[in-house]
C-alpha cells in the first residue's frame, strides 16, 4: 500500500499518545493476568474480562480528552460507527482466550485510521515488554529496533493460522491444501501476535477468515512498514471505513500464492 503526505513527523503527538496508552494498558493486563479476571462470555461465545473493559474505557477517555474531534471503534465499546474521518481502532486485549488461560500471546492494539486508511499503529506485548509501532512512511520498530520481514517462500517459512479446532476442521477448507503442500503451520491464539511476528521476520504469513478491523488496523501499519503486505482474503486493499472480515498477511513474497489458495478453496 502506498501512503502519501504523511511523512516528517506529522503524527508525532498521536504516536506518543498511543504508546503511552499501550504502556498503561499493559499495566492493567499484568495486574489481572494471574488474578481474578471477572470473566464473562459474550454473545459470540468469546470471553470478556474486566481488563478488556477497563482498557477500552481508558482509551476512549484519553483520546476524547486529547483529540476531542476523533472517534473510537473498540472491540468492547465505541463512540462512532464506521465511516470517513479520523477514527481510532482499538482491541484492548487481542487474544483474550489466551489471556484467560495464562498464555502470554495476548496483546494491546491501537491504530489511527484516516478516511479508511491506517496511518499510525501501536501494539504492545506486556508479558514480554515488547512495544511495536509504526507511522506510515516512517518504518516499523520494536523497542527501538527497526523491523523487516523475511524473504522465505511458503515451503521454507512458517504460516500462522487460527487455533480454534472446530473452525480448523469445519470452516477452513484451505488448511487441507496447505497441509498437502507440506507448509509449516503455526496455530496459536492472537491475530496481533501473529502479525507482529511477520513484521519482525519470524513468520512468512498468516491468514484468517474471522478477524475484524479492530484486530488488524494497527498491525497493518506495522507489517506494511516492515516491508510486508496485508489485504482482504480476495487480495484487494482493505477499506477501514466499513466493516470487513478476514485478512491475508505476509512478507509479500508468499502473498499472491496465499490469495490464490484461499480463492480456489473458498470457491469450491
Amino acid at each position: 500500500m502506498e501512503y502519501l503526505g504523511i511523512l516528517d513527523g506529522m503524527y508525532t503527538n498521536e504516536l506518543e499518545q498511543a504508546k503511552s496508552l499501550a504502556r498503561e494498558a499493559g499495566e492493567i493486563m499484568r495486574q489481572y493476568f494471574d488474578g481474578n479476571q471477572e470473566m464473562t462470555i459474550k454473545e459470540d461465545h468469546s470471553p470478556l474480562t474486566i481488563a478488556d473493559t477497563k482498557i477500552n474505557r481508558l482509551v476512549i477517555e484519553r483520546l476524547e480528552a486529547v483529540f476531542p474531534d476523533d472517534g473510537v471503534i473498540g472491540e468492547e465499546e465505541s463512540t462512532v460507527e464506521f465511516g470517513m474521518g479520523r477514527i481510532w481502532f482499538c482491541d484492548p486485549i487481542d487474544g483474550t482466550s489466551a489471556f484467560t488461560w495464562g498464555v502470554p500471546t495476548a496483546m494491546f492494539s491501537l491504530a489511527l485510521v484516516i478516511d479508511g486508511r491506517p496511518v499510525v499503529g501501536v501494539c504492545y506485548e506486556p508479558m514480554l515488554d515488547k512495544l511495536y509501532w509504526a507511522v506510515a512512511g516512517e518504518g516499523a520498530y520494536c523497542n527501538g529496533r527497526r523491523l523487516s520481514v523475511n524473504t522465505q517462500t511458503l515451503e521454507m517459512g512458517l504460516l500462522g493460522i487460527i487455533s480454534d479446532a472446530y473452525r480448523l476442521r469445519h470452516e477452513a477448507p484451505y488448511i487441507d491444501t496447505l497441509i498437502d503442500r507440506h507448509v509449516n503451520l503455526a496455530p496459536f491464539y492472537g491475530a496481533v501476535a501473529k502479525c507482529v511476528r511477520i513484521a519482525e521476520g519470524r513468520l512468512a504469513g498468516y491468514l484468517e477468515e474471522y478477524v475484524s478491523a479492530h484486530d488488524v488496523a494497527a498491525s497493518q501499519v506495522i507489517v506494511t512498514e516492515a516491508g510486508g503486505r496485508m489485504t482482504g482474503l480476495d487480495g484487494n486493499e482493505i477499506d477501514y471505513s466499513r466493516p470487513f472480515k478476514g485478512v491475508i498477511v505476509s512478507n509479500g513474497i508468499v502473498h499472491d500464492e496465499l490469495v490464490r489458495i484461499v480463492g480456489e478453496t473458498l470457491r469450491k
Side-chain angles (χ1 to χ4, degrees), residues 13-249:
N13 189 23
E14 287 86 346
L15 176 63
E16 292 310 308
Q17 292 295 334
K19 285 182 176 179
S20 177
L21 279 166
R23 294 287 188 189
E24 292 180 59
E27 287 296 324
I28 295 172
M29 291 173 70
R30 284 188 288 264
Q31 175 186 349
Y32 289 100
F33 188 66
D34 288 321
N36 179 12
Q37 297 177 346
E38 301 181 28
M39 187 183 74
T40 58
I41 301 298
K42 298 188 290 187
E43 290 184 2
D44 64 358
H45 306 295
S46 64
L48 174 68
T49 73
I50 186 174
D52 291 277
T53 55
K54 278 193 171 184
I55 294 169
N56 208 139
R57 170 70 355 214
L58 169 68
V59 168
I60 287 175
E61 291 178 353
R62 180 69 52 76
L63 294 177
E64 283 184 336
V66 179
F67 306 110
D69 295 328
D70 294 1
V72 177
I73 292 178
E75 182 175 20
E76 314 306 338
E77 182 182 1
S78 303
T79 64
V80 295
E81 301 292 334
F82 281 81
M84 304 297 277
R86 286 173 52 110
I87 301 176
W88 294 84
F89 284 75
C90 175
D91 195 340
I93 302 179
D94 181 76
T96 302
S97 293
F99 182 74
T100 63
W101 299 335
V103 177
T105 56
M107 295 183 66
F108 170 81
S109 177
L110 181 63
L112 173 61
V113 174
I114 298 180
D115 294 336
R117 305 176 74 184
V119 297
V120 176
V122 172
C123 301
Y124 185 46
E125 200 163 29
M127 308 312 164
L128 296 177
D129 191 26
K130 296 178 75 174
L131 184 68
Y132 298 84
W133 61 271
V135 174
E138 298 183 5
Y141 301 85
C142 176
N143 292 353
R145 174 177 59 90
R146 185 150 188 169
L147 302 178
S148 180
V149 298
N150 63 39
T151 58
Q152 295 171 338
T153 64
L154 202 54
E155 283 72 22
M156 291 171 52
L158 191 61
L159 183 70
I161 58 172
I162 60 174
S163 57
D164 186 296
Y166 180 89
R167 285 180 168 176
L168 279 174
R169 182 176 183 183
H170 298 284
E171 302 177 17
Y174 48 81
I175 294 297
D176 288 338
T177 301
L178 294 168
I179 292 173
D180 291 342
R181 290 273 302 272
H182 303 288
V183 176
N184 295 311
L185 304 179
F188 62 94
Y189 272 87
V192 176
K194 289 186 274 275
C195 287
V196 296
R197 279 160 177 79
I198 293 171
E200 63 186 3
R202 296 181 183 271
L203 299 182
Y206 158 54
L207 69 163
E208 184 170 340
E209 296 176 56
Y210 309 101
V211 294
S212 303
H214 59 265
D215 297 305
V216 295
S219 299
Q220 176 156 357
V221 191
I222 294 168
V223 168
T224 302
E225 287 301 311
R229 291 180 63 189
M230 182 184 295
T231 68
L233 294 174
D234 56 5
N236 292 326
E237 183 176 340
I238 299 171
D239 179 4
Y240 287 83
S241 69
R242 56 188 180 184
F244 66 88
K245 285 284 186 181
V247 294
I248 293 177
V249 193

